[in-house]
């Protein structure tokens, strides 16, 4: 978990993206992933709940018109502002808007960004900071911002959480607990890896067990260049998959045109592929979706294998859509990362705690007060429960008589064929 604000530099949530004024980038990934074809078949992420945890957002941009986007205006950082207007443009707001547009963008406005899962139900949780520094830590039961965001997302029923931020890790148990609780709830967490070896301290949350860690690649199929070390490609041992994330158009509404690159962009695309797959296979669990993600990289079927900074390979929308995730084991396959946190035991403990919670809630719930004009008893003063019980017994007896009569008749031929 991120430490308190004793050292400001350690609290910077660094966006995994850079931008520069240039000619507009293209949505090259849209064609290569076969997104239009999938969407024409109805696979748009409809009905799937996705949470985006980032900095700030401008939800009034043309790219979000008609999208199923909710913004939680309670900043994850004390005193912050999540939602910004055109006049309040900032790098933090551009970052949050860019990653969200890659999920549900409609192709309108600056950058003409089209989302990979445009009908997904997205809720945006923002730190609410413009400078990138959360100088007061979290303001909710002592939880730090990302942990608070994960708690809210899980509590609201998110199936997938997309996080394009990286934080320094200080080995606090709350980190483990937040991830363990999400995994126990079957939530898939997708997080960006750092864009430079100089940002190696940004270990939370991508390096944790169970989390899908995403790196970026360019249109030529090469892993992105280190953004702070010239001539070096950036790769991480615990990378899960690689996705497009270099040379994208931005929704940035400042003057000029912006092209952006980084693992931040590859992360929502991966989350979107999972959302679209979840729509097609609604009974698949979070563990099965991740199993499918890593086994169905590239376009061709292959044996499961890892390759250093490439992880299990390049994500593939087409491949995932054609394979039913329920053919795989219902288990998160990413519990073997170098960091070894949280442990499988912690996830199991979280599952036990979650399963026990409803029973505890039921026994401690207040007595329901029935209005005086409700039919809660008979004229003779008998409790309604007794009346219902007597009626049920009478119906059971009547059903038994009917069954006996039917069994004594000749079997009739089924009309309409077998069901």
């Amino acid at each position: 978990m991120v430490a308190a604000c004793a050292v400001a530099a350690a609290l910077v949530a660094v966006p995994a993206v850079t931008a520069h004024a240039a000619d507009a980038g293209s949505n090259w990934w849209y064609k290569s992933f076969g997104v239009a074809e999938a969407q024409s078949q109805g696979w748009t992420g409809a009905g799937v709940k996705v949470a985006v945890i980032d900095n700030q957002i401008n939800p009034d941009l043309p790219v979000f018109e008609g999208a199923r986007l909710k913004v939680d205006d309670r900043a994850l950082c004390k005193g912050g502002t999540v939602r910004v207007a055109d006049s309040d443009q900032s790098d933090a707001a551009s970052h949050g808007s860019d990653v969200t547009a890659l999920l549900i963008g409609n192709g309108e406005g600056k950058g003409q960004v089209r989302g990979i899962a445009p009908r997904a139900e997205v809720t945006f949780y923002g730190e609410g900071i413009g400078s990138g520094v959360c100088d007061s830590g979290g303001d909710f039961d002592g939880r730090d911002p990302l942990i608070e965001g994960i708690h809210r997302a899980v509590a609201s029923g998110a199936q997938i959480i997309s996080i394009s931020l990286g934080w320094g890790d200080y080995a606090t148990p709350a980190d483990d607990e937040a991830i363990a609780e999400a995994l126990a709830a079957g939530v898939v967490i997708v997080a960006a890896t750092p864009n430079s070896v100089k940002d190696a301290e940004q270990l939370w949350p991508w390096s944790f067990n169970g989390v899908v860690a995403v790196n970026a690649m360019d249109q030529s199929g090469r892993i992105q260049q280190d953004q702070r070390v010239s001539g070096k490609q950036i790769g991480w041992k615990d990378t899960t998959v690689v996705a497009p994330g270099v040379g994208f158009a931005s929704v940035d509404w400042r003057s000029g045109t912006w092209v952006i690159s980084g693992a931040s962009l590859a992360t929502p695309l991966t989350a979107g592929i999972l959302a679209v797959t979840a729509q097609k296979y609604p009974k698949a669990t979070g563990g099965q979706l991740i199993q499918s993600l890593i086994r169905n990289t590239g376009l061709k079927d292959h044996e499961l294998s890892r390759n250093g900074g490439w992880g299990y390979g390049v994500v593939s929308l087409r491949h995932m859509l054609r394979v039913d995730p329920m053919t795989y084991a219902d288990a998160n396959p990413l519990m073997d990362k170098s960091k070894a946190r949280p442990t499988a035991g912690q996830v199991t403990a979280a599952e036990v705690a979650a399963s026990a919670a409803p029973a505890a809630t039921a026994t401690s719930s207040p007595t329901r007060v029935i209005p005086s004009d409700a039919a809660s008893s008979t004229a003779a003063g008998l409790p309604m429960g007794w009346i219902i019980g007597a009626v049920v017994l009478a119906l059971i007896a009547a059903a038994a008589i009917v069954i006996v009569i039917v069994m004594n008749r000749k079997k009739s031929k089924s009309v309409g064929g077998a069901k």
Side-chain angles (χ1 to χ4, degrees), residues 276-293:
V276 172
T277 305
Q279 177 201 1
K280 184 173 182 180
Y281 304 100
K283 293 184 179 180
T285 65
Q288 289 171 328
L289 288 172
I290 298 176
Q291 294 271 10
S292 183
L293 177 73

Side-chain angles (χ1 to χ4, degrees), residues 40-383:
S40 69
Q41 296 172 1
W43 308 126
T44 61
V48 180
K49 293 185 177 181
V50 180
V52 174
I53 302 176
D54 211 88
N55 288 327
Q56 294 177 307
I57 189 172
N58 182 350
D60 298 324
L61 291 174
V63 72
F64 297 126
E65 186 174 348
R68 297 172 182 179
L69 173 63
K70 296 180 181 179
V71 178
D72 187 337
D73 287 313
R74 300 170 299 158
L76 302 176
C77 287
K78 184 178 180 179
T81 302
V82 177
R83 186 191 303 256
V84 304
D86 288 357
S87 58
D88 300 322
Q89 195 280 336
S90 67
D91 287 339
S94 294
H95 186 264
S97 301
D98 279 324
V99 298
T100 305
L102 284 169
L103 274 168
I104 53 174
N106 59 18
E108 299 297 325
K110 197 167 184 181
Q112 299 180 329
V113 178
R114 294 172 289 186
I116 194 166
R119 303 312 293 163
E121 299 174 13
V122 172
T123 302
F124 184 90
Y125 301 92
E127 292 172 331
I129 51 179
S131 63
V133 178
C134 187
D135 56 8
S136 298
D139 190 35
F140 304 90
D141 298 327
R143 291 195 286 260
D144 282 324
L146 280 185
I147 293 177
E148 170 63 17
I150 291 173
H151 277 291
R152 289 192 202 173
V154 173
S156 68
Q159 296 162 263
I160 300 163
I161 301 176
S162 180
I163 305 175
S164 292
L165 299 176
W167 283 72
D169 172 58
Y170 293 85
T172 309
D175 288 345
D176 302 349
E177 294 169 3
I179 299 296
E181 289 173 9
L183 298 182
V187 180
V188 179
I189 301 178
V190 186
T193 57
N195 292 323
S196 173
V197 293
K198 291 188 175 182
D199 297 324
E201 77 283 356
Q202 297 172 22
L203 298 174
W204 161 257
W206 70 271
S207 68
F208 278 55
N209 274 344
V211 176
V212 177
V214 187
N215 196 5
M217 59 173 281
D218 64 20
Q219 190 170 2
S220 299
R222 297 171 297 190
I223 289 182
Q224 68 165 325
Q225 296 291 308
D226 190 304
Q227 295 185 357
R228 298 177 63 189
V229 180
S230 179
K232 180 180 178 62
Q233 285 186 317
I234 183 65
W236 302 94
K237 178 182 177 182
D238 285 325
T239 297
T240 305
V241 289
V242 175
V246 177
F248 284 13
S250 173
V251 300
D252 195 299
W253 57 100
R254 288 176 286 197
S255 60
T257 304
W258 291 71
V259 175
I260 52 179
S261 296
S264 274
L265 311 175
T267 298
L269 289 188
T270 302
I273 288 176
L274 287 162
V276 172
T277 305
Q279 177 201 1
K280 184 173 182 180
Y281 304 100
K283 293 184 179 180
T285 65
Q288 289 171 328
L289 288 172
I290 298 176
Q291 294 271 10
S292 183
L293 177 73
I294 66 175
R295 294 173 185 277
N296 297 307
T297 51
L299 293 176
K300 298 180 180 180
D301 294 340
H302 54 78
E303 295 296 323
L304 183 66
S305 63
R306 299 190 76 255
N307 181 17
W310 285 90
Y312 292 96
V314 180
V315 296
S316 174
L317 175 64
R318 291 187 182 95
H319 203 165
M320 286 191 69
L321 284 178
R322 74 171 185 254
V323 178
D324 187 346
M326 294 186 70
T327 60
Y328 303 119
D330 181 10
N332 191 309
L334 306 178
M335 296 298 294
D336 59 350
K337 293 190 180 182
S338 304
K339 197 165 189 59
R341 298 171 50 202
T343 65
Q346 288 175 303
V347 176
T348 299
E351 290 173 347
V352 172
S355 63
T361 302
T363 56
S364 60
S365 61
T367 303
R368 180 168 176 252
V369 178
I370 302 176
S372 59
D373 59 348
S376 59
S377 63
T378 66
L382 292 176

